[in-house]
Amino acid sequence: MTFADGSRLAARTIAASGSHVAFVYYLDRTGDRRVASARMRQNFSLWAATVRDAVDWLVKQPGVDANRLGIVGISLGAALAFETAAADGRAKAIVDCFGPCRNSSPRTGRGSRPG
């Protein structure tokens, strides 16, 4: 099973529980195909803005309960999930898969928690 297959399986499982799922390819905003460690700090806020834009889009979709939003993030995506939830407050749950263990944001170095 590939990483993409695992992500699709996780999305199907979440959707089967009655939640809405949207995949966000945040790297498109900066034209990256892979995350370059040297540019992570530079691009982090742009990628977080992409996740916030995705939340904005999702809450406007028919049948989506804006009071029941969660964000699933894998690795850097988990850090972006925490950053988005801390800045936005609409996400009520975060699933962190292999994300940061420390109480800090890669962009700021300060603690970042959902509201």
Side-chain angles (χ1 to χ4, degrees):
M1 179 180 285
T2 67
F3 183 78
D5 292 334
S7 296
R8 281 190 284 278
L9 177 60
R12 282 191 215 100
T13 303
I14 292 167
S17 73
S19 298
H20 298 278
V21 178
F23 278 103
V24 179
Y25 195 71
Y26 50 84
L27 296 176
D28 277 351
R29 181 155 285 180
T30 55
D32 291 297
R33 300 277 302 151
R34 295 181 181 267
V35 175
S37 297
R39 293 173 22 123
M40 191 178 307
R41 288 186 190 276
Q42 170 188 342
N43 291 334
F44 188 85
S45 62
L46 297 171
W47 296 330
T50 302
V51 176
R52 285 191 304 277
D53 290 347
V55 171
D56 289 341
W57 174 84
L58 187 61
V59 300
K60 294 175 185 172
Q61 301 311 299
V64 172
D65 182 350
N67 295 311
R68 297 182 46 127
L69 294 179
I71 303 174
V72 177
I74 301 169
S75 191
L76 173 59
L80 293 168
F82 282 112
E83 181 72 16
T84 300
D88 186 301
R90 290 181 287 180
K92 304 302 183 210
I94 296 173
V95 178
D96 176 344
C97 300
F98 309 110
C101 295
R102 296 181 187 172
N103 184 21
S104 65
S105 153
R107 181 177 56 85
T108 64
R110 294 190 310 270
S112 192
R113 292 191 180 121

